Amino acid sequence: MKSVPLLQTSSRRLLQRSQTRLINPFAVTQASCLSTALLPAASQHGLRANRSLRKLEPVTRRQKLSDNATGERPWKDVTIEPSPDGLLVFLDGKPVRTPQTKVPLPIPFTKPLLATAVALEWDFMTSAQQALQPHHIPATSIAARGYDLVLQDAAAASSEPSPAPESTAVPSSRTMRENIIKTLLPYLDTDTVLCWAPPAKDTTEPSLRDKQVALAEPLITYLTSSIWAGANLKPGLSDGSILPSQQSPETRKIVQGWLSGLKAWELVGLERAVLAGKSLVVGARLVCEWGESFGDVRKAMGTPRGKRFGIKEAAEACSLEVAWQTKRWGEVEDTHDVEKEDLRRQFGNAILVMQGA
């Protein structure tokens, strides 16, 4: 028997093993790239995969719910129908309800334009998710706030509990009205119309202060001659000062008394106008011009037709300084133009809720 050297036999075995490994690409990959200790067993890999799938199930379920919420709106027809309490907006026969009290939202018969605006908001929606976004329902939100205040005023006057469900936490009438007045009254000291720029020096053209004074004086005269008799409105900024000065206690008392006597719809409209324009003077002027119960004031002041103080005039009064600066330095795109249109939209909703037929 012929003997084979040990070295030659080992070389052949090594070559055979290498050729066997080269036939299987997976074996090559595992041997060259990964350590055997790092490779999980088949059972471990299956358990990890199952755990990963279970973790993905809630995410998939939430995604399906989100897709349903942002899909097509669940109602088709939007209608306005009369009821004993007022005009109701229906979505496929179901009335639109207030977000706080969860009761149907009736709009007075004297405010058909407000009812139409509410109906249009719901008719223009493409998904139910939009109903949760305030910028999609400005008329609905202000109408609901007005009706909540009406209910609570009536409950306070009759000393009876509010008709709202017991489970709904709604502030009392007096608290809600007082909170609105408490919010609006400080604007008298920092009113946009009453904060004037320092006097300009060595200028031949009308300065910013000149334009502010020319705009504010007619408004002050109108209000002190009609609804704020005896009030003495003074500029909020003294010459060279950046801190506003408070109005006199007598003036604040007169304005506070007027605010306390406003009807619910007019007070809510005033609140929206003041918060939008940062001016109680402009808001009060809008109430006088469009308030349902201020017809006698309009007759006494003799407002001519076609020259009413409306959305355009209110927006210009509250943004006079912005218009002056943008004319001088330029307008920031997607900022100043958007703010201007949003201000007009807010004033429009305030007028809708205040005015009557």
Side-chain angles (χ1 to χ4, degrees), residues 77-242:
D77 298 326
V78 180
T79 58
I80 302 175
E81 298 180 12
S83 71
D85 297 326
L87 299 173
L88 290 176
V89 177
F90 286 88
L91 310 178
D92 289 343
K94 298 180 180 180
V96 173
R97 298 176 179 269
T98 62
Q100 278 193 333
T101 58
K102 308 301 182 183
V103 298
L105 173 58
I107 298 174
F109 293 107
T110 57
K111 302 181 185 299
L113 294 180
L114 178 60
T116 303
V118 172
L120 288 175
E121 286 180 350
W122 291 90
D123 197 30
F124 285 160
M125 290 184 193
T126 58
S127 67
Q129 189 73 14
Q130 292 178 345
L132 304 177
Q133 300 170 352
H135 63 276
H136 280 290
I137 53 171
T140 304
S141 63
I142 194 173
R145 184 164 177 79
Y147 184 62
D148 285 343
L149 186 57
V150 168
L151 288 179
Q152 295 172 22
D153 280 348
S158 59
S159 299
E160 296 178 358
S162 174
E166 296 181 358
S167 59
T168 305
V170 180
S172 65
S173 170
R174 297 184 186 278
T175 302
M176 184 176 182
R177 179 174 284 270
E178 289 176 354
N179 284 342
I180 295 176
I181 296 173
K182 185 179 179 180
T183 301
L184 298 183
L185 199 58
Y187 281 94
L188 196 63
D189 300 328
T190 60
D191 198 293
T192 301
V193 175
L194 299 179
C195 290
W196 302 340
K201 299 179 180 179
D202 301 332
T203 178
T204 57
E205 299 181 356
S207 63
L208 174 59
R209 183 185 179 90
D210 296 334
K211 291 181 175 293
Q212 290 173 327
V213 173
L215 184 145
E217 286 182 345
L219 295 176
I220 295 174
T221 302
Y222 186 98
L223 296 178
T224 55
S225 302
S226 56
I227 58 173
W228 294 347
N232 182 22
L233 297 177
K234 57 183 180 181
L237 294 178
S238 303
D239 294 342
S241 174
I242 61 174

